[in-house]
Amino acid sequence: MIDRIGLIAYIENYGNFSDLEDIYTFFNKVKDLQKKNPEVRISHVLEKFQMHQKYRIIIPRQVLKKSHADIEILTAHASK
């Protein structure tokens, strides 16, 4: 999905590392919802985020852990 919408290319050209952490946080939140309910639909995910916005519930940013493996993945992807 990330490749399909051109997200990495957009961040490389216009974003910063904080944007990448926000996306990482978003996808982890979606994965958590999917773990709780494997049949979850995108409409439910969007409703959850709308509720967070409506009630001003902050989703804490998950910081990317810097490890050798992460560097290899980011480097390999950037070199395409």
Side-chain angles (χ1 to χ4, degrees):
M1 183 170 121
I2 291 174
D3 286 337
R4 208 179 298 167
I5 63 174
L7 190 58
I8 298 297
Y10 180 83
I11 290 173
E12 286 174 342
N13 292 321
Y14 306 107
N16 60 43
F17 196 71
S18 294
D19 295 330
L20 192 56
E21 288 180 333
D22 291 340
I23 293 163
Y24 178 75
T25 301
F26 169 76
F27 280 109
N28 280 333
K29 185 69 173 173
V30 172
K31 282 193 319 187
D32 289 343
L33 292 171
Q34 195 269 332
K35 280 181 187 175
K36 292 177 185 173
N37 178 6
E39 303 297 319
V40 70
R41 296 183 175 268
I42 191 71
S43 59
H44 177 73
V45 171
L46 293 174
E47 286 172 14
K48 285 292 240 185
F49 283 106
Q50 287 173 342
M51 294 298 281
H52 277 81
Q53 187 176 22
K54 180 178 179 178
Y55 295 107
R56 301 178 191 258
I57 300 169
I58 295 171
I59 299 171
R61 178 182 281 163
Q62 296 176 345
V63 177
L64 289 170
K65 295 181 178 135
K66 294 180 172 95
S67 72
H68 186 64
D70 291 334
I71 292 168
E72 286 179 12
I73 291 169
L74 291 174
T75 302
H77 193 9
S79 67
K80 285 186 178 179

Short mmCIF file of all heavy atoms in Angstrom, two decimals, residues 28-75:
data_model
loop_
_atom_site.label_atom_id
_atom_site.label_comp_id
_atom_site.label_asym_id
_atom_site.label_seq_id
_atom_site.Cartn_x
_atom_site.Cartn_y
_atom_site.Cartn_z
N ASN A 28 0.88 1.25 13.01
CA ASN A 28 0.87 0.41 14.22
C ASN A 28 -0.48 0.46 14.91
O ASN A 28 -0.95 -0.55 15.44
CB ASN A 28 1.99 0.82 15.18
CG ASN A 28 3.31 0.24 14.76
OD1 ASN A 28 3.37 -0.80 14.11
ND2 ASN A 28 4.38 0.91 15.10
N LYS A 29 -1.13 1.61 14.91
CA LYS A 29 -2.48 1.72 15.50
C LYS A 29 -3.47 0.87 14.71
O LYS A 29 -4.30 0.16 15.30
CB LYS A 29 -2.91 3.19 15.51
CG LYS A 29 -4.22 3.44 16.19
CD LYS A 29 -4.11 3.23 17.68
CE LYS A 29 -5.40 3.66 18.36
NZ LYS A 29 -5.39 3.32 19.77
N VAL A 30 -3.37 0.89 13.40
CA VAL A 30 -4.24 0.06 12.56
C VAL A 30 -3.97 -1.42 12.83
O VAL A 30 -4.90 -2.22 12.94
CB VAL A 30 -4.07 0.41 11.07
CG1 VAL A 30 -4.82 -0.58 10.19
CG2 VAL A 30 -4.53 1.83 10.80
N LYS A 31 -2.70 -1.79 12.95
CA LYS A 31 -2.36 -3.19 13.25
C LYS A 31 -2.93 -3.61 14.60
O LYS A 31 -3.42 -4.73 14.74
CB LYS A 31 -0.84 -3.40 13.24
CG LYS A 31 -0.26 -3.51 11.87
CD LYS A 31 1.17 -4.01 11.80
CE LYS A 31 2.10 -3.48 12.85
NZ LYS A 31 3.50 -3.86 12.65
N ASP A 32 -2.89 -2.73 15.58
CA ASP A 32 -3.48 -3.04 16.90
C ASP A 32 -4.98 -3.27 16.79
O ASP A 32 -5.51 -4.20 17.41
CB ASP A 32 -3.21 -1.90 17.89
CG ASP A 32 -1.76 -1.82 18.32
OD1 ASP A 32 -1.01 -2.80 18.13
OD2 ASP A 32 -1.38 -0.76 18.86
N LEU A 33 -5.65 -2.45 16.02
CA LEU A 33 -7.10 -2.63 15.83
C LEU A 33 -7.37 -3.96 15.13
O LEU A 33 -8.32 -4.67 15.47
CB LEU A 33 -7.68 -1.48 15.01
CG LEU A 33 -7.70 -0.11 15.69
CD1 LEU A 33 -8.10 0.97 14.69
CD2 LEU A 33 -8.66 -0.12 16.87
N GLN A 34 -6.54 -4.32 14.18
CA GLN A 34 -6.71 -5.56 13.45
C GLN A 34 -6.44 -6.78 14.34
O GLN A 34 -7.09 -7.81 14.20
CB GLN A 34 -5.80 -5.57 12.22
CG GLN A 34 -6.13 -6.63 11.19
CD GLN A 34 -5.38 -7.92 11.42
OE1 GLN A 34 -4.30 -7.94 11.98
NE2 GLN A 34 -5.98 -9.01 11.00
N LYS A 35 -5.51 -6.66 15.27
CA LYS A 35 -5.24 -7.76 16.22
C LYS A 35 -6.45 -8.00 17.11
O LYS A 35 -6.79 -9.14 17.41
CB LYS A 35 -4.02 -7.44 17.08
CG LYS A 35 -2.71 -7.68 16.41
CD LYS A 35 -1.58 -7.36 17.37
CE LYS A 35 -0.24 -7.42 16.68
NZ LYS A 35 0.85 -7.01 17.57
N LYS A 36 -7.08 -6.92 17.52
CA LYS A 36 -8.26 -7.05 18.38
C LYS A 36 -9.45 -7.62 17.62
O LYS A 36 -10.29 -8.30 18.19
CB LYS A 36 -8.63 -5.68 18.98
CG LYS A 36 -7.62 -5.17 19.96
CD LYS A 36 -8.00 -3.79 20.45
CE LYS A 36 -6.93 -3.21 21.35
NZ LYS A 36 -7.20 -1.82 21.69
N ASN A 37 -9.53 -7.28 16.35
CA ASN A 37 -10.65 -7.74 15.52
C ASN A 37 -10.13 -8.02 14.11
O ASN A 37 -10.05 -7.11 13.28
CB ASN A 37 -11.75 -6.68 15.47
CG ASN A 37 -12.90 -7.07 14.59
OD1 ASN A 37 -12.97 -8.19 14.08
ND2 ASN A 37 -13.82 -6.15 14.38
N PRO A 38 -9.78 -9.28 13.82
CA PRO A 38 -9.23 -9.61 12.51
C PRO A 38 -10.16 -9.29 11.33
O PRO A 38 -9.72 -9.18 10.20
CB PRO A 38 -8.99 -11.12 12.59
CG PRO A 38 -8.88 -11.41 14.04
CD PRO A 38 -9.78 -10.42 14.73
N GLU A 39 -11.44 -9.11 11.60
CA GLU A 39 -12.41 -8.80 10.55
C GLU A 39 -12.66 -7.29 10.42
O GLU A 39 -13.61 -6.88 9.75
CB GLU A 39 -13.75 -9.50 10.84
CG GLU A 39 -13.64 -11.02 10.99
CD GLU A 39 -13.17 -11.69 9.71
OE1 GLU A 39 -13.62 -11.29 8.61
OE2 GLU A 39 -12.32 -12.59 9.81
N VAL A 40 -11.82 -6.48 11.04
CA VAL A 40 -12.02 -5.03 11.04
C VAL A 40 -12.04 -4.50 9.61
O VAL A 40 -11.33 -4.97 8.74
CB VAL A 40 -10.93 -4.32 11.89
CG1 VAL A 40 -9.57 -4.37 11.24
CG2 VAL A 40 -11.34 -2.89 12.18
N ARG A 41 -12.90 -3.53 9.40
CA ARG A 41 -13.03 -2.90 8.08
C ARG A 41 -12.46 -1.49 8.15
O ARG A 41 -12.39 -0.89 9.22
CB ARG A 41 -14.50 -2.84 7.67
CG ARG A 41 -15.11 -4.21 7.49
CD ARG A 41 -16.54 -4.06 7.01
NE ARG A 41 -17.10 -5.34 6.71
CZ ARG A 41 -17.06 -5.91 5.50
NH1 ARG A 41 -16.48 -5.30 4.51
NH2 ARG A 41 -17.61 -7.09 5.30
N ILE A 42 -12.11 -0.98 6.99
CA ILE A 42 -11.54 0.36 6.94
C ILE A 42 -12.50 1.40 7.50
O ILE A 42 -12.08 2.37 8.12
CB ILE A 42 -11.07 0.72 5.50
CG1 ILE A 42 -10.24 2.00 5.49
CG2 ILE A 42 -12.26 0.85 4.56
CD1 ILE A 42 -8.89 1.86 6.08
N SER A 43 -13.79 1.18 7.33
CA SER A 43 -14.77 2.13 7.86
C SER A 43 -14.68 2.21 9.39
O SER A 43 -14.77 3.29 9.96
CB SER A 43 -16.19 1.75 7.43
OG SER A 43 -16.51 0.45 7.87
N HIS A 44 -14.44 1.07 10.03
CA HIS A 44 -14.29 1.04 11.49
C HIS A 44 -13.01 1.78 11.91
O HIS A 44 -13.01 2.54 12.88
CB HIS A 44 -14.28 -0.40 12.01
CG HIS A 44 -14.05 -0.49 13.48
ND1 HIS A 44 -15.03 -0.14 14.40
CD2 HIS A 44 -12.97 -0.87 14.20
CE1 HIS A 44 -14.53 -0.31 15.63
NE2 HIS A 44 -13.29 -0.75 15.52
N VAL A 45 -11.95 1.56 11.16
CA VAL A 45 -10.68 2.23 11.46
C VAL A 45 -10.86 3.74 11.35
O VAL A 45 -10.44 4.50 12.23
CB VAL A 45 -9.57 1.74 10.50
CG1 VAL A 45 -8.30 2.58 10.65
CG2 VAL A 45 -9.27 0.27 10.74
N LEU A 46 -11.53 4.19 10.30
CA LEU A 46 -11.76 5.62 10.12
C LEU A 46 -12.64 6.19 11.23
O LEU A 46 -12.40 7.31 11.71
CB LEU A 46 -12.38 5.89 8.75
CG LEU A 46 -11.47 5.60 7.56
CD1 LEU A 46 -12.23 5.77 6.26
CD2 LEU A 46 -10.23 6.46 7.59
N GLU A 47 -13.65 5.42 11.65
CA GLU A 47 -14.51 5.86 12.76
C GLU A 47 -13.69 6.04 14.03
O GLU A 47 -13.88 7.01 14.78
CB GLU A 47 -15.62 4.86 13.01
CG GLU A 47 -16.72 4.88 11.98
CD GLU A 47 -17.71 3.73 12.17
OE1 GLU A 47 -17.71 3.09 13.23
OE2 GLU A 47 -18.49 3.48 11.23
N LYS A 48 -12.77 5.10 14.28
CA LYS A 48 -11.92 5.20 15.48
C LYS A 48 -11.09 6.48 15.45
O LYS A 48 -11.00 7.20 16.45
CB LYS A 48 -10.98 3.99 15.59
CG LYS A 48 -11.67 2.73 16.03
CD LYS A 48 -12.10 2.85 17.45
CE LYS A 48 -11.47 1.81 18.31
NZ LYS A 48 -11.95 1.83 19.67
N PHE A 49 -10.50 6.77 14.30
CA PHE A 49 -9.69 7.98 14.19
C PHE A 49 -10.55 9.24 14.30
O PHE A 49 -10.12 10.25 14.86
CB PHE A 49 -8.86 7.98 12.91
CG PHE A 49 -7.65 7.08 13.02
CD1 PHE A 49 -7.62 5.86 12.36
CD2 PHE A 49 -6.57 7.44 13.79
CE1 PHE A 49 -6.52 5.02 12.46
CE2 PHE A 49 -5.45 6.60 13.92
CZ PHE A 49 -5.44 5.39 13.24
N GLN A 50 -11.75 9.20 13.77
CA GLN A 50 -12.66 10.34 13.90
C GLN A 50 -13.03 10.56 15.37
O GLN A 50 -13.14 11.71 15.82
CB GLN A 50 -13.91 10.13 13.06
CG GLN A 50 -13.65 10.28 11.59
CD GLN A 50 -14.85 9.89 10.73
OE1 GLN A 50 -15.76 9.21 11.17
NE2 GLN A 50 -14.82 10.33 9.48
N MET A 51 -13.23 9.49 16.12
CA MET A 51 -13.54 9.61 17.55
C MET A 51 -12.35 10.22 18.30
O MET A 51 -12.54 11.07 19.17
CB MET A 51 -13.90 8.25 18.15
CG MET A 51 -15.19 7.66 17.60
SD MET A 51 -16.64 8.67 17.96
CE MET A 51 -16.92 8.20 19.63
N HIS A 52 -11.15 9.78 17.95
CA HIS A 52 -9.96 10.37 18.56
C HIS A 52 -9.92 11.88 18.29
O HIS A 52 -9.63 12.66 19.19
CB HIS A 52 -8.68 9.72 18.01
CG HIS A 52 -8.32 8.45 18.69
ND1 HIS A 52 -8.91 7.25 18.38
CD2 HIS A 52 -7.42 8.18 19.67
CE1 HIS A 52 -8.39 6.30 19.13
NE2 HIS A 52 -7.49 6.84 19.93
N GLN A 53 -10.22 12.24 17.07
CA GLN A 53 -10.19 13.66 16.71
C GLN A 53 -11.31 14.42 17.43
O GLN A 53 -11.07 15.50 17.99
CB GLN A 53 -10.34 13.80 15.20
CG GLN A 53 -10.16 15.22 14.72
CD GLN A 53 -10.21 15.30 13.21
OE1 GLN A 53 -10.76 14.43 12.54
NE2 GLN A 53 -9.65 16.36 12.67
N LYS A 54 -12.51 13.88 17.43
CA LYS A 54 -13.65 14.55 18.04
C LYS A 54 -13.42 14.81 19.53
O LYS A 54 -13.73 15.89 20.04
CB LYS A 54 -14.90 13.68 17.86
CG LYS A 54 -16.16 14.28 18.46
CD LYS A 54 -17.36 13.39 18.21
CE LYS A 54 -18.62 13.98 18.82
NZ LYS A 54 -19.80 13.15 18.54
N TYR A 55 -12.89 13.81 20.24
CA TYR A 55 -12.69 13.94 21.68
C TYR A 55 -11.26 14.34 22.06
O TYR A 55 -10.89 14.29 23.22
CB TYR A 55 -13.09 12.64 22.37
CG TYR A 55 -14.57 12.38 22.24
CD1 TYR A 55 -15.06 11.39 21.38
CD2 TYR A 55 -15.50 13.15 22.94
CE1 TYR A 55 -16.43 11.17 21.25
CE2 TYR A 55 -16.85 12.93 22.81
CZ TYR A 55 -17.31 11.94 21.96
OH TYR A 55 -18.66 11.73 21.82
N ARG A 56 -10.52 14.75 21.04
CA ARG A 56 -9.14 15.23 21.25
C ARG A 56 -8.28 14.23 22.02
O ARG A 56 -7.55 14.60 22.94
CB ARG A 56 -9.14 16.59 21.92
CG ARG A 56 -9.87 17.64 21.12
CD ARG A 56 -9.89 18.97 21.83
NE ARG A 56 -10.79 19.88 21.18
CZ ARG A 56 -10.41 20.86 20.37
NH1 ARG A 56 -9.16 21.03 20.12
NH2 ARG A 56 -11.30 21.65 19.83
N ILE A 57 -8.41 12.97 21.63
CA ILE A 57 -7.60 11.90 22.23
C ILE A 57 -6.31 11.80 21.41
O ILE A 57 -6.34 11.51 20.22
CB ILE A 57 -8.34 10.56 22.23
CG1 ILE A 57 -9.63 10.68 23.04
CG2 ILE A 57 -7.45 9.44 22.76
CD1 ILE A 57 -10.57 9.49 22.90
N ILE A 58 -5.23 12.03 22.06
CA ILE A 58 -3.94 12.02 21.38
C ILE A 58 -3.42 10.59 21.29
O ILE A 58 -3.44 9.85 22.27
CB ILE A 58 -2.93 12.91 22.12
CG1 ILE A 58 -3.41 14.37 22.06
CG2 ILE A 58 -1.54 12.77 21.55
CD1 ILE A 58 -2.62 15.30 22.94
N ILE A 59 -2.95 10.25 20.13
CA ILE A 59 -2.28 8.96 19.93
C ILE A 59 -0.79 9.26 20.04
O ILE A 59 -0.25 9.99 19.21
CB ILE A 59 -2.62 8.36 18.56
CG1 ILE A 59 -4.13 8.12 18.44
CG2 ILE A 59 -1.84 7.06 18.34
CD1 ILE A 59 -4.59 7.74 17.07
N PRO A 60 -0.14 8.73 21.07
CA PRO A 60 1.28 9.05 21.25
C PRO A 60 2.11 8.59 20.06
O PRO A 60 1.93 7.49 19.55
CB PRO A 60 1.67 8.26 22.51
CG PRO A 60 0.40 7.84 23.14
CD PRO A 60 -0.64 7.82 22.09
N ARG A 61 2.99 9.46 19.61
CA ARG A 61 3.88 9.13 18.50
C ARG A 61 4.83 8.01 18.93
O ARG A 61 5.42 8.08 20.00
CB ARG A 61 4.68 10.34 18.08
CG ARG A 61 5.67 10.04 16.96
CD ARG A 61 6.48 11.23 16.60
NE ARG A 61 5.68 12.11 15.75
CZ ARG A 61 5.98 13.37 15.52
NH1 ARG A 61 7.03 13.92 16.07
NH2 ARG A 61 5.22 14.09 14.74
N GLN A 62 4.93 7.02 18.09
CA GLN A 62 5.87 5.93 18.34
C GLN A 62 7.17 6.26 17.64
O GLN A 62 7.19 6.47 16.42
CB GLN A 62 5.31 4.61 17.85
CG GLN A 62 4.06 4.21 18.61
CD GLN A 62 3.43 2.95 18.06
OE1 GLN A 62 3.73 2.51 16.97
NE2 GLN A 62 2.53 2.39 18.82
N VAL A 63 8.22 6.29 18.41
CA VAL A 63 9.52 6.66 17.87
C VAL A 63 10.12 5.45 17.18
O VAL A 63 10.10 4.35 17.72
CB VAL A 63 10.45 7.17 18.99
CG1 VAL A 63 11.82 7.49 18.46
CG2 VAL A 63 9.82 8.38 19.67
N LEU A 64 10.63 5.67 15.99
CA LEU A 64 11.32 4.60 15.28
C LEU A 64 12.59 4.26 16.03
O LEU A 64 13.35 5.15 16.41
CB LEU A 64 11.66 5.03 13.85
CG LEU A 64 10.49 5.16 12.90
CD1 LEU A 64 10.94 5.82 11.61
CD2 LEU A 64 9.89 3.81 12.60
N LYS A 65 12.80 3.00 16.24
CA LYS A 65 14.02 2.56 16.91
C LYS A 65 15.13 2.48 15.89
O LYS A 65 14.97 1.88 14.84
CB LYS A 65 13.79 1.21 17.58
CG LYS A 65 12.79 1.30 18.69
CD LYS A 65 12.60 -0.04 19.35
CE LYS A 65 11.60 0.16 20.48
NZ LYS A 65 10.59 -0.83 20.55
N LYS A 66 16.23 3.08 16.23
CA LYS A 66 17.36 3.06 15.32
C LYS A 66 18.18 1.81 15.59
O LYS A 66 18.74 1.65 16.67
CB LYS A 66 18.19 4.31 15.50
CG LYS A 66 17.45 5.56 15.09
CD LYS A 66 18.28 6.78 15.28
CE LYS A 66 17.59 7.97 14.69
NZ LYS A 66 16.82 8.75 15.53
N SER A 67 18.20 0.93 14.63
CA SER A 67 19.03 -0.26 14.74
C SER A 67 19.66 -0.51 13.39
O SER A 67 19.29 0.08 12.38
CB SER A 67 18.19 -1.47 15.16
OG SER A 67 17.37 -1.88 14.10
N HIS A 68 20.60 -1.40 13.37
CA HIS A 68 21.29 -1.73 12.13
C HIS A 68 20.30 -2.22 11.07
O HIS A 68 20.39 -1.85 9.91
CB HIS A 68 22.37 -2.78 12.41
CG HIS A 68 23.22 -3.07 11.23
ND1 HIS A 68 24.03 -2.12 10.65
CD2 HIS A 68 23.36 -4.19 10.48
CE1 HIS A 68 24.65 -2.65 9.62
NE2 HIS A 68 24.26 -3.91 9.49
N ALA A 69 19.33 -3.02 11.48
CA ALA A 69 18.34 -3.56 10.54
C ALA A 69 17.49 -2.44 9.93
O ALA A 69 17.21 -2.46 8.74
CB ALA A 69 17.44 -4.58 11.24
N ASP A 70 17.09 -1.47 10.74
CA ASP A 70 16.29 -0.35 10.23
C ASP A 70 17.08 0.45 9.19
O ASP A 70 16.54 0.86 8.18
CB ASP A 70 15.87 0.59 11.36
CG ASP A 70 14.87 -0.04 12.30
OD1 ASP A 70 14.14 -0.94 11.86
OD2 ASP A 70 14.81 0.38 13.46
N ILE A 71 18.32 0.66 9.47
CA ILE A 71 19.16 1.42 8.55
C ILE A 71 19.27 0.68 7.22
O ILE A 71 19.16 1.26 6.16
CB ILE A 71 20.55 1.69 9.15
CG1 ILE A 71 20.41 2.66 10.34
CG2 ILE A 71 21.51 2.26 8.10
CD1 ILE A 71 21.63 2.79 11.18
N GLU A 72 19.43 -0.64 7.28
CA GLU A 72 19.53 -1.42 6.05
C GLU A 72 18.23 -1.32 5.25
O GLU A 72 18.26 -1.16 4.04
CB GLU A 72 19.82 -2.88 6.37
CG GLU A 72 21.25 -3.14 6.82
CD GLU A 72 21.48 -4.58 7.16
OE1 GLU A 72 20.63 -5.43 6.84
OE2 GLU A 72 22.51 -4.87 7.76
N ILE A 73 17.10 -1.42 5.92
CA ILE A 73 15.81 -1.36 5.22
C ILE A 73 15.62 0.00 4.57
O ILE A 73 15.26 0.08 3.40
CB ILE A 73 14.64 -1.68 6.19
CG1 ILE A 73 14.70 -3.14 6.60
CG2 ILE A 73 13.30 -1.36 5.55
CD1 ILE A 73 13.78 -3.50 7.73
N LEU A 74 15.86 1.07 5.30
CA LEU A 74 15.69 2.41 4.75
C LEU A 74 16.66 2.66 3.61
O LEU A 74 16.32 3.24 2.59
CB LEU A 74 15.84 3.46 5.84
CG LEU A 74 14.74 3.51 6.89
CD1 LEU A 74 15.10 4.48 7.99
CD2 LEU A 74 13.41 3.87 6.26
N THR A 75 17.90 2.18 3.76
CA THR A 75 18.90 2.38 2.73
C THR A 75 18.54 1.61 1.47
O THR A 75 18.61 2.12 0.37
CB THR A 75 20.29 1.94 3.23
OG1 THR A 75 20.60 2.69 4.40
CG2 THR A 75 21.36 2.17 2.18
#
